[in-house]
C-alpha cells in the first residue's frame, strides 16, 4: 500500500519507533513537529528487527510495536523521507495503530532484515 503525500500543507501523522523517538539521535528531524501520542502501538501484525544502530519494522509478524506519533508539515515529511531513504531503503507506508488511527511509517522488506534479531518486546528502547 503506497503512502499518501500531504496536500497543500495539511499535516501528516507519522508513527516513529526507533532513532526518531524523543531522546534518540535522529529526533532533531522532528524539532518542529507536534507530538500527538507518546505511547502509540501498531496493530500486532509487525516484527521489529535489530539492525545494530537502528531498527527495521516489517509486516508479517505478530508483535505490536511501540512508538510515538507526530504531526508533521511537508518540509518535515520531506526531511524524514531523505533520512529514511524513501523509497529506495525504507518505504513510507500507511498503517493502522491499535486504536484504529491511520498513520504513515517507514517499513523495510523481510529480505532487508533477514537474519537480524527480532526485538520481541516491540520496543526499540527496551531491546
Amino acid at each position: 500500500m503506497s503512502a499518501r503525500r500531504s496536500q497543500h500543507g495539511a499535516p501528516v501523522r507519522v508513527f516513529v519507533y526507533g532513532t526518531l523517538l524523543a531522546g534518540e539521535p535522529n529526533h532533531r528531524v522532528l524539532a518542529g513537529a507536534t507530538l500527538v501520542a507518546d505511547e502509540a502501538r501498531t496493530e500486532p501484525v509487525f516484527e521489529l528487527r535489530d539492525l545494530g544502530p537502528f531498527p527495521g519494522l516489517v509486516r508479517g509478524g505478530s508483535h505490536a510495536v511501540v512508538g510515538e506519533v507526530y504531526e508533521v508539515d511537508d518540509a518535515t515529511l520531506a526531511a524524514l523521507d531523505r533520512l529514511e531513504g524513501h523509497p529506495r531503503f525504507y518505504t513510507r507506508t500507511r498503517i493502522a495503530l491499535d486504536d484504529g488511527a491511520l498513520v504513515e511509517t517507514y517499513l523495510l522488506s523481510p529480505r532487508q532484515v533477514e537474519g537480524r534479531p527480532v526485538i520481541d518486546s516491540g520496543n526499540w528502547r527496551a531491546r
Side-chain angles (χ1 to χ4, degrees):
M1 182 182 319
S2 192
R4 72 175 173 85
R5 295 294 264 168
S6 72
Q7 297 175 347
H8 310 294
V12 173
R13 290 190 174 190
V14 178
F15 174 78
V16 300
Y17 54 86
T19 65
L20 287 162
L21 293 166
E24 294 290 328
N26 289 322
H27 185 70
R28 61 181 161 55
V29 178
L30 293 168
T34 302
L35 177 65
V36 175
D38 63 357
E39 272 292 315
R41 287 186 185 279
T42 67
E43 292 183 322
V45 295
F46 294 97
E47 197 169 75
L48 191 61
R49 295 289 187 109
D50 189 340
L51 301 175
F54 57 91
L57 183 64
V58 294
R59 288 190 190 275
S62 58
H63 297 122
V65 174
V66 177
E68 299 166 347
V69 176
Y70 290 86
E71 208 164 71
V72 302
D73 60 16
D74 285 343
T76 303
L77 188 62
L80 289 169
D81 284 352
R82 280 190 303 277
L83 176 73
E84 302 295 12
H86 169 72
R88 289 173 308 286
F89 187 64
Y90 282 93
T91 302
R92 183 164 43 85
T93 307
R94 183 179 286 182
I95 66 164
L97 298 178
D98 67 351
D99 66 0
L102 296 177
V103 295
E104 304 289 316
T105 198
Y106 293 88
L107 299 179
L108 292 177
S109 71
R111 173 186 51 76
Q112 289 174 286
V113 300
E114 192 174 321
R116 302 304 301 209
V118 175
I119 301 171
D120 288 321
S121 68
N123 187 332
W124 173 244
R125 290 182 172 141
R127 65 192 183 285

